[in-house]
Amino acid sequence: MSAKVNRVYLALGSNIGDRDRYIREAIDMLNEHEAIKIVKISPAYNTAPVGYIDQTDFLNAAVAIDTTLSPRELLAVCLDIEQRLGRVRTIRWGPRTVDIDIIFYDDLIIDDGILTVPHPRMHERGFVLQPLCDIAPNAVHPVYKKTVEQMYREWKAKGDINSNV
Ligand code: GSY
């Protein structure tokens, strides 16, 4: 019996060094995994930092993958790629070579103390919603029951001056 294939959306961000190369290498490394297939890649956007704002601009993108990995297994793969690309966790919300967040994993809702899916702040982050809307406008948030396009439109309508794409 073959394992179930799950559709997952990941958000990637980088704001140290050659940001474009880090994003591309992270995607290549995901694709090299035998249990991951890259399905779609968004454009990458230059975005002002949100949260800890005393840091340089980010490059943000999103990818759709099909995977037979469990959420925890996928988290471990993402953390391993972050580490192999030189990420050192110092300041929370601080600069990073590459960050890979699980945004949606099918329509699962997970909050087990290690992993929270959907990502708890994705709906308030333009830098996640804009690239995600490029590749999955009709994906539905399993808690809020809204499409990515709806959430992105609402985020834009709020016009929060503290947020940026
Ligand atoms: O969790 C993502 C890391 N991050 C980002 C980011 O990727 N992009 C922007 N623009 N701001 C951010 N703040 C944090 S933390």
Side-chain angles (χ1 to χ4, degrees):
M1 200 180 69
S2 54
K4 179 178 181 290
V5 176
N6 304 283
R7 171 59 54 87
V8 178
Y9 296 98
L10 303 174
L12 295 98
S14 169
N15 77 334
I16 294 181
D18 189 340
R19 304 171 308 165
D20 188 58
R21 185 176 68 85
Y22 283 125
I23 299 275
R24 272 187 288 113
E25 283 197 6
I27 294 171
D28 286 347
M29 288 160 86
L30 286 163
N31 207 30
E32 278 159 17
H33 196 289
E34 61 183 8
I36 296 175
K37 181 176 158 236
I38 303 283
V39 177
K40 269 187 188 172
I41 305 175
S42 78
Y45 293 93
N46 190 70
T47 68
V50 173
Y52 177 65
I53 57 169
D54 190 17
Q55 56 181 326
T56 52
D57 283 359
F58 282 78
L59 203 60
N60 284 108
V63 294
I65 64 170
D66 280 343
T67 185
T68 51
L69 296 174
S70 70
R72 283 286 192 88
E73 288 169 336
L74 179 61
L75 176 65
V77 168
C78 293
L79 293 175
D80 180 58
I81 292 173
E82 287 180 358
Q83 279 204 343
R84 283 158 61 202
L85 289 176
R87 177 162 179 192
V88 180
R89 288 171 187 265
T90 45
I91 313 170
R92 190 177 183 208
W93 293 320
R96 69 273 320 266
T97 49
V98 73
D99 183 56
I100 309 172
D101 288 331
I102 301 174
I103 303 300
F104 294 151
Y105 184 106
D106 279 339
D107 55 359
L108 287 190
I109 299 169
I110 306 165
D111 192 2
D112 62 8
I114 303 282
L115 181 61
T116 307
V117 176
H119 188 285
R121 290 173 295 282
M122 60 86 64
H123 59 292
E124 45 192 46
R125 290 178 160 181
F127 65 80
V128 172
L129 291 169
Q130 184 177 28
L132 191 59
C133 195
D134 289 333
I135 59 169
N138 299 320
V140 175
H141 192 297
V143 176
Y144 299 131
K145 312 285 185 207
K146 290 178 180 176
T147 65
V148 168
E149 190 169 28
Q150 255 177 304
M151 290 187 289
Y152 182 40
R153 230 185 297 118
E154 287 175 9
W155 177 85
K156 282 193 290 189
K158 262 207 215 146
D160 179 350
I161 56 161
N162 295 313
S163 302
N164 215 321
V165 286

